[in-house]
């Protein structure tokens, strides 16, 4: 699966939209230059930052897309450190639960996606990759699909 531009998310059924488990108060760790929709981060409240290796569960980055040029689409949006005052990115993240479903193109491009058998988990950079047996969170590919702009994507359901 080759991604064109930045990661995109279509929230088909994310429980956080109803439970209110949406967080947007902590800044991203200083070393994070870009956060894309569809990445996963740890909402590390104890250390006061969003990062990839802190304590707690991975949460889905799903920011409000702000595009001011009508020629741009969702693939053109990401939170870039260089675009924010003082270089501080404060992402909006969703807690996901078993059963949640969404469509994304934010998956390791080296994986051959097979509906019903491919299982994914957040990697060290927050991008979904092949799930290992010790993964704390697992997403199953339920359909090989497309994003609204026609590029390759997968529909995922959280199973662990």
């Amino acid at each position: 699966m080759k991604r064109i531009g930045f990661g995109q998310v279509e929230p088909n059924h994310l429980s956080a939209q109803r439970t209110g488990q949406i967080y947007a108060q902590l800044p991203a760790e200083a070393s994070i230059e870009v956060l894309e929709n569809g990445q996963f981060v740890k909402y590390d409240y104890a250390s006061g930052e969003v990062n990839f290796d802190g304590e707690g569960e991975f949460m889905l980055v799903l920011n409000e897309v702000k595009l001011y040029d009508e020629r741009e689409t969702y693939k053109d949006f990401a939170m870039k450190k260089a675009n924010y005052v003082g270089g501080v990115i404060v992402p909006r993240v969703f807690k996901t639960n078993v059963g949640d479903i969404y469509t994304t193109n934010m998956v390791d491009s080296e994986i051959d996606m097979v509906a019903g058998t491919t299982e994914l988990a957040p990697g060290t950079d927050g991008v979904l990759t092949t799930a290992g047996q010790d993964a704390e969170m697992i997403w199953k590919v339920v359909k090989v699909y497309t994003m609204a702009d026609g590029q390759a994507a997968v529909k995922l359901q959280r199973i662990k």
Side-chain angles (χ1 to χ4, degrees):
M1 229 175 68
K2 184 176 187 235
R3 184 173 56 250
I4 301 167
F6 295 111
Q8 300 178 53
V9 169
E10 180 182 329
N12 303 111
H13 179 84
L14 293 175
S15 56
Q17 293 173 305
R18 283 148 188 87
T19 65
Q21 293 173 303
I22 302 170
Y23 304 86
Q25 298 170 329
L26 296 181
E29 179 181 53
S31 66
I32 298 174
E33 296 292 323
V34 176
L35 277 177
E36 301 179 47
N37 282 337
Q39 272 184 292
F40 283 85
V41 294
K42 301 274 185 133
Y43 196 78
D44 192 349
Y45 203 72
S47 68
E49 66 185 14
V50 170
N51 55 47
F52 297 120
D53 56 3
E55 293 183 352
E57 183 177 323
F58 275 109
M59 295 194 183
L60 176 67
V61 175
L62 183 52
N63 293 295
E64 185 71 30
V65 175
K66 302 281 187 182
L67 297 170
Y68 301 102
D69 184 337
E70 64 276 354
R71 295 169 293 183
E72 294 180 334
T73 63
Y74 289 128
K75 72 176 177 53
D76 299 309
F77 178 81
M79 294 186 91
K80 300 177 195 171
K81 187 176 182 176
N83 293 345
Y84 290 87
V85 176
V88 178
I89 301 172
V90 182
R92 180 177 73 173
V93 298
F94 283 48
K95 184 199 179 310
T96 61
N97 295 296
V98 171
D100 281 0
I101 300 166
Y102 76 104
T103 304
T104 188
N105 64 345
M106 194 62 171
V107 179
D108 182 351
S109 63
E110 302 298 317
I111 301 171
D112 186 28
M113 302 295 156
V114 178
T117 59
T118 303
E119 294 181 350
L120 306 170
T124 57
D125 60 356
V127 177
L128 290 172
T129 189
T130 304
Q133 292 198 357
D134 59 343
E136 61 188 68
M137 170 187 290
I138 297 178
W139 294 86
K140 181 170 278 219
V141 174
V142 295
K143 188 173 186 179
V144 177
Y145 213 47
T146 60
M147 297 306 302
D149 63 2
Q151 65 177 293
V154 287
K155 185 174 276 194
L156 304 170
Q157 180 178 25
R158 184 168 174 190
I159 61 170
K160 177 181 173 189

